[in-house]
Amino acid sequence: MPVSTNCAYAAPFWLPGGHAQTIVPRVLQRGPRLPFHRKRLELADGDFIDVDWVYASGSPRKRAAGVVVISHGLEGDSRRSYMRSLAKCVSEAGWDVAARNFRSCGGEMNRLLPFYHSGETGDLHAVVSLCCAEGYERVALAGFSVGGNQVLRYLGEDPKQVPSEVCAAVAISVPCDLAACSTVLARRENRVYMQYFMHTLRRKIREKNQLFPDALNVDGLDFMRNFKEFDDRFTAPIFGFKSAEDYWRKASSSQVLESIRVSTLLINARNDPFLAPSCFPMRAASRSKALTLLIPREGGHVGFPSASGHHDAWLGRETMNFIQRS
């Protein structure tokens, strides 16, 4: 499928560079107010996730024919400005929205010791299955960053398990190669992002340690400064991986891109400060019948600001145009 660097998006002249285009929308944009209807989805293993629904009609009694399941990024949630901005575009296009919160991210800690990881797909499948059971004729997927990596893995790791109602997917600012991206984020110029992620992850581990005493080794937790240290100590053993490197390799969507059978759009900005060169899978896209790769010159990481500094509606329009064409 096509690989394109030409698109209608252009960053405002006063926000040059990937860092500004990443940070400013996050700081300035609160996101539109939306009538979220929260529902708790009980999972087969005894845990739960919270899903926030937006109905195009304004009422859960009148569902649209199609729904878009939206997944947030690392340590995000359904209320983040980029999630709400996309949800507004989806709703205005006449589709319902199911904005899922990863385990531990919906405002209440999940029940079990494991929370989520970058390649986990079982919970996404549970939400997709719920949408199918609710009678939606068309189910589309959209994911930001780590949520986008989960979407791509879900579609490619076992294409036969994907319900026939799933008609399209859009993945935005995706760290397709987790090992390479962990190295990029550990660089000095990306310190502000790493500090933010590590602060929230350390806090989560402290809360887990209170709920499950002696299940975790928290010695030196306050001194951990990067994903390698965190994933070696916590993510890998909690989820049954041998090491951080084993986790990154097995959880990266780059491993399964050519197996995707659902019409899929991957949007990664060239100046995204989170991404390594391997996150622009031009060879995989050129060999795939389902994957379209769009590489805007600008946009940052989950940024794509407008002239006002807020998230530009271009991203929502591009997403819905692709979904509705598929």
Side-chain angles (χ1 to χ4, degrees), residues 72-211:
H72 59 76
L74 183 67
E75 289 302 280
D77 56 65
S78 64
R79 306 302 175 103
R80 293 298 170 96
S81 59
Y82 59 85
M83 292 283 285
R84 285 186 283 168
S85 294
L86 180 56
K88 181 175 185 289
C89 291
V90 172
S91 180
E92 289 176 345
W95 290 56
D96 290 347
V97 174
R100 71 183 185 108
N101 295 278
F102 301 164
R103 299 191 196 203
S104 77
C105 293
E108 181 180 340
M109 185 57 69
N110 65 304
R111 299 180 188 125
L112 305 181
L113 175 61
F115 35 103
Y116 69 93
H117 67 75
S118 298
E120 196 279 326
T121 60
D123 292 355
L124 175 56
H125 182 65
V127 176
V128 170
S129 298
L130 173 63
C131 292
C132 295
E134 292 285 334
Y136 286 103
E137 298 171 7
R138 305 185 76 200
V139 179
L141 311 179
F144 293 91
S145 194
V146 160
N149 188 71
Q150 293 179 345
V151 166
L152 295 175
R153 281 206 59 83
Y154 174 62
L155 296 176
E157 65 185 0
D158 186 4
K160 293 181 180 179
Q161 79 155 342
V162 180
S164 60
E165 290 89 345
V166 177
C167 59
V170 179
I172 302 154
S173 300
V174 181
C176 304
D177 183 342
L178 295 172
C181 290
S182 69
T183 299
V184 169
L185 280 167
R187 293 173 181 167
R188 181 183 297 272
E189 62 267 26
N190 287 329
R191 183 183 303 172
V192 63
Y193 311 118
M194 184 62 77
Q195 288 178 338
Y196 169 77
F197 287 132
M198 291 305 299
H199 173 74
T200 62
L201 289 169
R202 286 195 296 265
R203 183 176 59 197
K204 185 162 292 183
I205 289 297
R206 292 189 192 99
E207 187 171 350
K208 285 289 186 182
N209 189 53
Q210 292 179 344
L211 295 172

Side-chain angles (χ1 to χ4, degrees), residues 4-12 267 294-299 304-306 312-315 317-318 321:
S4 177
T5 57
N6 296 317
C7 69
Y9 176 75
I267 305 175
L294 180 59
I295 310 175
R297 185 171 61 88
E298 301 178 299
F304 300 97
S306 67
D312 200 305
W314 170 84
L315 190 60
R317 292 193 302 270
E318 194 75 20
N321 286 341

